[in-house]
DNA sequence: AAGCGCAATGATTGCGCTATCATCAGCATA
DNA sequence: TATGCTGATGATAGCGCAATCATTGCGCTT
């Protein structure tokens, strides 16, 4: 081993260094790393020893450039602080990690313009696949995505015209079903509380509206929304607003997610409104607290983790040129009927 | 989805394509993208037009390889599903995004071995900086990190001997202070509920133990823990165990995080144990629900978002060769005293 | 003994970009 | 006029790796 450089730890160690140290050619070292079965065992061990002792770490950029394979999957979600997305992410990381893919994650802050910028960022890493949220991309963004010629899954909602693949569930129908459930429990004046009002929330609201209209019980002023992000605090505030603006006639509230619903529930308790006797409260997403809070909270359960898994597996199948059953997967949902809406 | 399209759109568009299309040299196009102030306005516009019309997206791998600047920051956290880390992440994304860095995020599942593998993955992307959690790295991992010669921040806890920089707070002291608070409120037999038992949780437990020993009130069997991940459900179970194994003599519980505390609180309600009269419950992390639940939950508030911001800013300062005030930052904490521990 | 097939290894080339240095006009200075 | 200086642009040479094709050696067949 030559030590022309005294500070061997100063320079970055490359394939060639390992090759020199183990007396083979660079390409053989490359094979030891990427296709070990193509190298004889003795050489493999010899090279591996050199790799370990030098602490060699391959340069992924060089590898990607040479092979045009990045082993990167890009993921764009609207918000990092929303548990809904972090659970989807868990599913994605689980599957992608196991399959040897890195995940490059960006946060679009619910803005299509931001999303466009972020998608550019993702594409500049030459990802082999992309998972993005919803169908609200800008025209320019759609163009980029088309051109990329990589598998893309749009998640969270079902889209009429997906860019490539699509995994989600029907938010509108879920909202519709929630209202049917509340009506079935004998609640008559059903309010709606919404925050952030992204496309999926809007769909839930449309479902709510449709169901009430069909029942002849829709009242515009039973709807209270805010563009602010959801939180328990906001849920409490909106509940108070709803009560105030309707003089307390509302006897049920459909909250567009569980944070709002918990906020409404806790506020109702403070206002001495009995849930579910005098007031039904229904959430959405079925976070863990819904099951354990007192009274337990009715909510719409969605396979978030599974959605991440499903999207990832579809991409991997396509990358491995295996057939996929369908480009569009409806994950469904289930209304978990609990104490907070049970008057019967 | 390989449709038979015409050749032209088949090929990836490179710098040279843009150069040809706009009649300049490749390097000028590169300048328009990276140092636009070095190109005359007329040329700049001309080139930009070609970029837009071709839909050119730079290949970051080639760029990184040529410049040895990746604009990537690696981040390793133990769990994606823990709100504690996602809020830190938010801070990191906020600052790093604004500064033009991409974040490559990996999940170590609380395992140093996994972490070592993940750090290798991160390093193979030649990140310009690294944010990792805690100080529990394997020897090999520490070696890699030393060799990397990039700014590294270890976050969440304060370390005696950090690899490079360190941002966190004193978990042990926080645990100690919680117990002091409970004692001060007149609670005498203080239990402990812990899950997952990672190093930071252990430190909190040590603080708990120390405070009780000093007060002559430590009882080994007041401690109930599980290696399982924390959840509200587990919190309820552990609370039941604690009550059972101590015949209900315990009059306060320090839960190592708010999920466990909420679980304990909800379970106490179901068991008709009055909080705070007969039982104090204290959590940790001060998630939003703590403030709004009834009774409101005493918890230890920590600037998680701020910790992410701080760590990111330190890295950016170092990368810009600006001085940092200190390599070690104590973010502190605050015990939010609320109804669940207020007997006075 | 010649030829064949195959596994193991190596030499060369180029992925797309930027660092570096070179070039050249335009202009001010002496 | 000669000299230097500045700002704008270009030519060239790799960055570290893997695709591609070439080479070698060895066992086996005929």
């Amino acid at each position: 081993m030559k030590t022309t450089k005294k500070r061997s730890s100063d320079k970055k160690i490359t394939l060639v260094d390992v090759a020199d140290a183990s007396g083979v050619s660079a390409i053989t070292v490359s094979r030891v790393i990427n296709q070990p079965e193509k190298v004889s065992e003795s050489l493999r061990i010899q090279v591996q020893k050199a790799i370990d002792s030098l602490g060699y770490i391959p340069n992924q950029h060089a590898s990607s450039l040479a092979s045009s394979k990045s082993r990167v999957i890009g993921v764009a979600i609207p918000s990092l602080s929303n548990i809904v997305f972090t659970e989807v992410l868990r599913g994605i990381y689980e599957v992608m990690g196991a399959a040897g893919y890195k995940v490059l994650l960006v946060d679009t802050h619910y803005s299509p313009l931001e999303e466009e910028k972020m998608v550019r960022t993702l594409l500049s890493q030459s990802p082999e696949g992309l998972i993005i949220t919803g169908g609200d991309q800008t025209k320019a963004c759609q163009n980029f995505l088309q051109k990329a010629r990589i598998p893309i899954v749009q998640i969270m909602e079902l889209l009429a015209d997906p860019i490539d693949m699509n995994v989600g569930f029907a938010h509108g129908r879920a909202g519709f079903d929630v209202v049917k459930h509340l009506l079935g429990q004998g609640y008559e004046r059903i309010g709606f509380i919404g925050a952030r009002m992204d496309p999926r929330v809007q769909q839930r609201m449309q479902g709510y509206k449709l169901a009430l209209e069909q029942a002849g019980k829709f009242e515009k002023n039973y709807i209270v929304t805010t563009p602010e992000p959801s939180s328990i605090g906001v849920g409490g505030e909106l509940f108070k607003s709803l009560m105030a603006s309707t003089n307390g006639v509302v006897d049920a509230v459909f909250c567009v997610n569980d944070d709002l619903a918990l906020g409404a529930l806790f506020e109702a308790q403070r206002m001495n409104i009995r849930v579910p006797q005098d007031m039904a409260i229904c959430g959405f997403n079925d976070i863990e607290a819904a099951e354990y809070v007192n009274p337990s909270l009715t909510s719409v359960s969605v396979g978030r983790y599974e959605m991440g898994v499903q999207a990832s597996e579809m991409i991997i199948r396509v990358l491995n040129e295996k057939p996929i059953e369908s480009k569009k997967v409806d994950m469904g949902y289930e209304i978990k009927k609990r104490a907070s809406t049970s008057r019967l």
Side-chain angles (χ1 to χ4, degrees), chain A:
Chain A
M1 204 188 313
K2 58 174 182 173
T3 26
T4 35
K5 297 255 178 193
K6 65 241 157 202
R7 300 268 287 279
S8 58
S9 56
D10 251 18
K11 266 207 72 175
K12 239 178 265 167
I13 289 150
T14 72
L15 254 197
V16 176
D17 297 327
V18 178
D20 288 350
S22 53
V24 300
S25 72
I27 189 68
T28 298
V29 178
S30 169
R31 285 200 189 99
V32 169
I33 293 167
N34 299 307
Q35 306 161 290
E37 74 282 359
K38 296 211 165 179
V39 180
S40 68
E41 194 183 335
S42 59
L43 255 196
R44 198 163 60 224
I45 291 170
Q46 181 182 331
V47 170
Q48 189 60 54
K49 213 171 284 175
I51 289 177
D52 291 341
S53 78
L54 290 175
Y56 169 66
I57 292 185
N59 180 326
Q60 191 55 51
H61 298 298
S63 170
S64 299
L65 184 58
S67 68
S68 50
K69 269 179 205 147
S70 62
R71 304 250 88 190
V72 165
I73 302 292
V75 177
I77 60 172
S79 162
L80 269 170
S81 38
N82 189 330
I83 188 171
V84 169
F85 298 113
T86 56
E87 294 201 351
V88 177
L89 261 188
R90 254 185 60 229
I92 296 174
Y93 266 82
E94 210 68 36
V95 175
M96 289 303 182
Y101 289 94
K102 281 143 278 183
V103 175
L104 194 65
L105 174 67
V106 297
D107 179 350
T108 67
H109 298 100
Y110 287 96
S111 149
L113 273 176
E114 186 104 350
E115 182 181 32
E116 178 185 327
K117 229 173 71 186
M118 292 291 115
V119 165
R120 290 186 74 116
T121 300
L122 289 178
L123 288 177
S124 75
Q125 304 288 324
S126 356
E128 297 185 35
L130 235 41
I131 298 176
I132 62 181
T133 306
D136 229 24
Q137 287 74 35
T138 67
K139 196 86 198 85
C141 187
Q142 290 176 21
N143 264 331
F144 286 138
L145 292 171
Q146 302 280 8
K147 267 207 199 132
R149 295 165 182 286
I150 53 175
I152 298 173
V153 185
Q154 289 166 291
I155 57 169
M156 301 312 292
E157 61 189 284
L158 294 177
L159 299 166
D161 186 22
I163 297 174
D164 181 13
M165 295 180 283
N166 183 209
V167 182
F169 65 93
H171 294 257
R173 228 178 48 220
F176 186 93
D177 289 352
V178 161
V179 171
K180 292 300 256 189
H181 162 65
L182 291 171
L183 290 170
Q185 291 287 316
Y187 297 99
E188 299 258 307
R189 294 169 301 281
I190 303 173
F192 179 94
I193 286 179
R196 178 88 70 177
M197 306 314 287
D198 65 63
R200 291 162 292 284
V201 167
Q202 307 259 14
Q203 289 163 33
R204 290 173 209 163
M205 188 168 82
Q206 289 312 314
Y208 153 89
K209 202 173 150 189
L210 184 64
L212 282 183
E213 279 170 351
Q214 286 185 4
K217 291 177 174 163
F218 176 67
E219 293 283 341
K220 222 187 291 183
N221 64 329
Y222 288 179
I223 295 181
V224 181
T225 69
T226 171
E228 275 182 81
S230 284
S231 68
I232 299 178
V234 165
E237 291 307 313
L238 293 179
F239 182 76
K240 277 195 281 189
S241 298
L242 178 65
M243 288 286 108
S245 69
T246 60
N247 291 315
V249 302
V250 163
D251 64 0
V253 196
F254 173 27
C255 303
V256 92
N257 65 46
D258 288 340
D259 276 351
L260 296 178
L262 286 176
L265 173 59
F266 294 149
E267 186 60 38
Q269 291 173 341
R270 269 176 248 121
M271 293 168 80
N272 290 312
I273 297 172
R274 295 178 308 162
V275 176
Q277 296 88 337
D278 304 332
M279 174 70 63
I281 295 181
C282 178
F284 205 105
N285 286 331
D286 194 29
I287 66 176
E288 200 200 2
E291 185 182 346
Y292 290 97
V293 70
N294 299 309
S296 61
L297 182 68
T298 296
S299 191
V300 179
S301 165
V302 182
R304 289 184 289 281
Y305 175 83
E306 292 77 11
M307 188 156 29
V309 168
Q310 174 71 40
S312 304
E313 286 179 344
M314 284 166 78
I315 287 187
I316 289 175
R317 287 193 73 83
V318 171
L319 289 178
N320 293 336
E321 297 182 342
K322 286 187 195 157
I324 54 173
E325 287 188 20
S326 163
K327 288 200 146 200
K328 210 161 176 173
V329 177
D330 184 348
M331 300 295 292
Y333 56 83
E334 183 192 352
I335 299 184
K336 297 278 188 184
K337 293 163 188 167
R338 300 208 182 91
S340 72
T341 61
S342 165
R343 189 147 69 171
L344 299 183

